[in-house]
Each structure stands twice: as C-alpha cells, then as structure tokens.
Amino acid sequence: MNLTTHRRIRLSIIMLIVALAATSCVGTRMGVSWPSVGLIELNGQEHISLSYNDQVAILSPANGVPARLINPDSGRPIRDNENNPRSWVLSGASYENAQFYALPIRLNAETLLVADHNKRLLKVDAVVAEVQRTIPVADQIVASILEVGDVIYVPYQNGGLRATSKIDFSELWTFPTSGGIWAQPLLVDDMIVVPSMNHQLYALDRASGARLWSVDLGGSVASTPLLANGRLYVGSFNKSFFEISLDGQILSKYDTQNWVWGTPAIDENGVIYVADLSGYVHALDTHNALAERWSVQVAERGIQAGPLFYDQRVIVSSRDGKVYWLDSRDGELINAREIEGAPELLGNLLLLEPSATMNIDEPLIIVSSVDPGKLLIAFGVDGRQTWVYPR
C-alpha cells in the first residue's frame, strides 16, 4: 500500500471519529454511525436484532424479513388501522428522534431495553414494539450494554461506566474514565473488563466498581477483548495487538500495519485472527507469544469489523464494499464478493449456525453495510448470497 492510500484510510477514520464526537451537540446523526447486529429471543425463537441510525429491527434469520408482531393471547398477528400485519420495527422518529448504536437487551419476557444516543434508555414493550418509558442517563451511548443478572452496565460515549439496577434503574455505582467507552465491556468471573478510548484497559470489581487493575495499550481501545485460554486478546489504535493476563500484565505484543478496531477470532488450535485498518489480516499463534503464522493484505481499504472463523475459513468485510474468504491455514484468498454499489462495511459480522428454531439448515454469515437499501446481507459460508434486508 502506498503512502497516499495509507494516509487516506487514516484520514477517513479520523473524520469518522470526529463526526461521532461532534454529535454530542446535536440530536440527529444520520449517516455517521454503523450498524450493530446480534441475536435476541422473540416469541420463543432467536431472531436477528439490528440497530442503525433511527431504527431498531428484529428480523427472521431465514429470510431477513422483519418479525411479525403476534398477540400472545390469541397467537394471531397484530394489525394496524388498515388491517395490515405489523412488523417488529422501532422507529426513532416516533420518539423524539431517538438514534441507535447499541443492541437491545431483554429485561423480561415482555420487555426490551434499548439505548438511545440522546442520553436515554428506552423501555420497550416487545409484543407491540412500542416505548413504554424513557429513563434519562448522563451521557450518549454508542456501545452495547452488558447485562449480568439483575445489573446492567451502561458504557458512556464520553467516559464512564454506570452499574444500574435492572429492576428499578437506580444507580449502583459509577466508574469514571477520562476517555469514552465505544465497545461493550466484558464479564470475566467477578470482574468487568472495560476498553476505553483513553488508551486504558480497565478491570473493575463487578459488585463495587473498584478498580482492580488497568493497563496502558498506547492507543485507543475500541473493541471488546476476546477471552481465550485464560487470557485477554485485544488491539489498539497504536498499531498493536496484545495478549494480557487476567491480572493486567502484558504477556505478548504484535505490531500490526494499522489500527486494530474489531474483536479478533480464534480457532480450535489457538490461532487468533486479527484485522487492521490497512486491510491486513494476521494469523497469530497464542501458544507461542503471538508468533506470526501469516499476514496478508486482502482488502483495498480498512477492515473495521473483527474477523469470523468457520470451517477452516477466515471471513472479513472491508470498507471497500467487499467480503473476503481466506484459507485459515495460509491466508490464501478463497473467494471475494463485492456488495452492489460497494457500500462501506463497518458493522460487526454475525455467524449463524444451522438451527431448527431459526429455520436455517446451513451456516449463514450476516454482513452489515451503511447502504439503507442493503443494511444486512446474508451469505453462505461458500460466498453464495441468500437474502438482503433493506430498511
């Protein structure tokens, strides 16, 4: 990659960060976020949840169609005033221009909790997809909330983690950070591991919020660490990837080509796969101090989302609008698919295993783009496209 291209990638990401930071002063931020994709239970079955800009949607994994709203008493579809079946889509426009980065979490069988970027938590009736109550919080939220028993841990965009009762939403404790938290914290036994944009990785006592340790990773940490082999694996904006003990010691460090934004993937042999914002994918041996197995530049632009590993394949999506399948043994390119129009692929990837309850009989790779006409694209592990979800 030449110097001009390298600088262009760095400038684009910096502009993205500046745009996000600037939203502290405005209500509507259309076009500067990226989708968040996960799984959530609805009507006794797992569905895909999607949060992006002014919409939260719950979709069928089999075809990407929004789930129908079902009356739990009659088992029949809920219909609108024109007798059309209603679908599970929560529009922020109906609730004071609510905007969404974070995934919803389930409070109970009938209720979801959704973080609104406009300093609110929205308590949502899951049956009718309508907001029941709004709970004000101290700051914007861009990272998904961590739920542990009757406590939720709310990460703030501009700094701080708030432990909150899931029962009455009262504050249990708050831990301040001088930089924002842009990735979901991680539960490890009785401690909460918190990545921060102030270069620190923190470990806090789950019950009290007391700091157990912190380690400086030399650059912003924008991803949830991976817990494997009794250790933490995480990258930073210091062009580095780290192996960290559970008492906060850096055990190994690997120099990447550019910033590491996404959470890595690991295979059954302890090989970990890391992507960076210069379009490189690196395979590292966790049994040998992160020794490099291979490193290839696969994409023309940066890779923000973390890789997926499945069946000897490493799958990554890039800002060049393409999805790549690599041989996990040597990094050789197996397949590449360009999304029509080459929209930026910034959101996380989601792997769906075959499941009778989700009505899918083959693995699916769910890719998110910033194109409203194709927010989610489902591929088989062989690269065959199966469905597209447009908003």
Side-chain angles (χ1 to χ4, degrees), residues 128 136 138 190 212 336 355-356 359:
V128 294
D190 286 327
L212 302 176
S355 167
N359 197 28

Side-chain angles (χ1 to χ4, degrees), residues 54-227:
D54 63 344
Q55 184 185 99
V56 176
I58 296 181
L59 314 172
S60 165
N63 55 22
V65 173
R68 290 286 173 85
L69 298 181
I70 303 296
N71 186 311
D73 297 324
S74 67
R76 296 177 180 176
I78 297 174
R79 298 180 178 273
D80 62 20
N81 293 333
E82 298 178 354
N83 204 36
N84 297 311
R86 291 181 56 200
S87 298
W88 214 112
V89 177
L90 182 70
S91 172
S94 301
Y95 302 100
E96 300 177 356
N97 292 322
Q99 300 283 311
F100 309 107
Y101 275 93
L103 293 173
I105 62 172
R106 181 165 289 283
L107 293 177
N108 53 51
E110 296 82 23
T111 313
L112 303 182
L113 189 69
V114 181
D116 172 17
H117 188 257
N118 297 324
K119 300 184 180 181
R120 298 181 299 177
L121 301 176
L122 307 181
K123 190 176 179 182
V124 178
D125 186 322
V127 176
V128 294
E130 294 177 355
V131 174
Q132 299 175 321
R133 175 187 171 190
T134 61
I135 300 101
V137 293
D139 194 17
Q140 286 96 350
I141 301 168
V142 297
S144 292
I145 293 169
L146 174 65
E147 177 189 10
V148 182
D150 289 334
V151 179
I152 57 174
Y153 298 88
V154 181
Y156 289 147
Q157 173 186 321
N158 296 304
L161 182 72
R162 183 183 194 261
T164 303
S165 167
K166 198 170 73 170
I167 307 303
D168 61 8
F169 303 105
S170 61
E171 179 181 310
L172 304 177
W173 53 257
T174 297
F175 180 81
T177 62
S178 59
I181 302 172
W182 288 18
Q184 185 182 46
L186 174 70
L187 174 68
V188 180
D189 297 325
D190 286 327
M191 68 182 182
I192 306 294
V193 179
V194 184
S196 176
M197 300 300 283
N198 68 359
H199 304 188
Q200 299 289 320
L201 186 69
Y202 297 96
L204 310 179
D205 180 81
R206 176 177 126 186
S208 67
R211 180 165 63 178
L212 302 176
W213 53 260
S214 62
V215 59
D216 189 335
L217 300 185
S220 295
V221 186
S223 62
T224 303
L226 173 70
L227 174 65

Side-chain angles (χ1 to χ4, degrees), residues 314-328:
V314 180
I315 303 108
V316 294
S317 61
S318 169
R319 296 186 66 225
D320 61 14
K322 296 179 182 178
V323 185
Y324 299 89
W325 285 257
L326 307 177
D327 190 318
S328 64

Side-chain angles (χ1 to χ4, degrees), residues 226-229 233 264-273 286 307 309:
L226 173 70
L227 174 65
N229 308 319
Y233 297 92
I266 194 168
D267 68 18
E268 65 276 6
N269 298 315
V271 178
I272 202 162
Y273 303 96
T286 63
F309 170 82

Side-chain angles (χ1 to χ4, degrees), residues 42-63:
L42 182 68
N43 300 326
Q45 295 183 325
E46 278 198 305
H47 287 69
I48 297 170
S49 63
L50 168 68
S51 300
Y52 181 58
N53 276 332
D54 63 344
Q55 184 185 99
V56 176
I58 296 181
L59 314 172
S60 165
N63 55 22

